[in-house]
Structures are given as C-alpha cells and as structure tokens.
C-alpha cells in the first residue's frame, strides 16, 4: 500500500520535472508544525547547485505542484515548499 508521504514524493518529483528541474532533496515530515505537515529541501539544494535564488526555485516548484486533492495549501515561504495536509481523509 502506498503511503501518504510516498504519494507526496511522487507529486513532488512530477512537479520538479514539469518545472524543468532534476529530482533533488527529500520530502520529510515538517520539524515544526507551524510550517506545515511536510517539507522539502529541494529548492535549497537546487538553488545552490544551479546558482539560483532558492525562493525563486521554490516558487517555480510550487507553481507546478499538483496536490490540491491532498492538501489544504502549499507555499514557498522560507525557501522550502511546505505542505499543509489538513484536508487528508482516511490517511
């Protein structure tokens, strides 16, 4: 059975590809619930690798992230896309 985190990781991978970015970083449970339920450091990793502003990378990533059916909202604050999963039912 697919876990919620693995489903989110697949959506993240799809968003990275749609944004023309390689897979990078990891998706983990958020360390501080004020910042969502899950977070990824992909924007920080890619920003450093590509010499780009991590906030711009995060905004590009969030623009391609399709998780509306799974999460209340997502944002690119603090250079790290964060997922708020309050909408989850049955997971």
């Amino acid at each position: 059975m697919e876990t919620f985190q693995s489903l989110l990781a697949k959506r993240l991978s799809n968003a990275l590809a749609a944004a023309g970015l390689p897979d990078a970083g990891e998706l983990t449970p958020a360390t501080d619930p004020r910042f969502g339920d899950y977070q990824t450091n992909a924007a920080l990793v890619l920003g450093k690798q590509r010499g780009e502003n991590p906030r711009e990378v995060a905004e590009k990533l969030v623009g391609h992230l399709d998780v509306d059916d799974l999460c209340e909202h997502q944002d690119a604050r603090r250079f790290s896309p964060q997922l708020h999963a309050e909408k989850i039912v049955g997971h």
Side-chain angles (χ1 to χ4, degrees), residues 4 12 14 23 32 34 42 50 66-67 72 77 89:
F4 185 73
L12 174 62
N14 291 343
D23 271 336
D32 186 331
R34 293 178 298 160
R50 300 163 63 92
D66 179 18
V67 292
E72 282 294 316
R77 290 181 293 182
V89 177

Side-chain angles (χ1 to χ4, degrees), residues 23-74:
D23 271 336
E26 57 188 345
L27 178 73
T28 60
T31 55
D32 186 331
R34 293 178 298 160
F35 303 126
D37 298 301
Y38 292 91
Q39 62 190 27
T40 179
N41 64 347
L44 289 171
V45 170
L46 290 170
K48 186 175 184 178
Q49 287 177 356
R50 300 163 63 92
E52 296 178 18
N53 182 316
R55 180 179 289 283
E56 291 174 7
V57 175
E59 289 172 353
K60 187 175 184 181
L61 175 56
V62 167
H64 289 88
L65 190 60
D66 179 18
V67 292
D68 289 343
D69 59 326
L70 301 174
C71 301
E72 282 294 316
H73 65 278
Q74 62 271 349

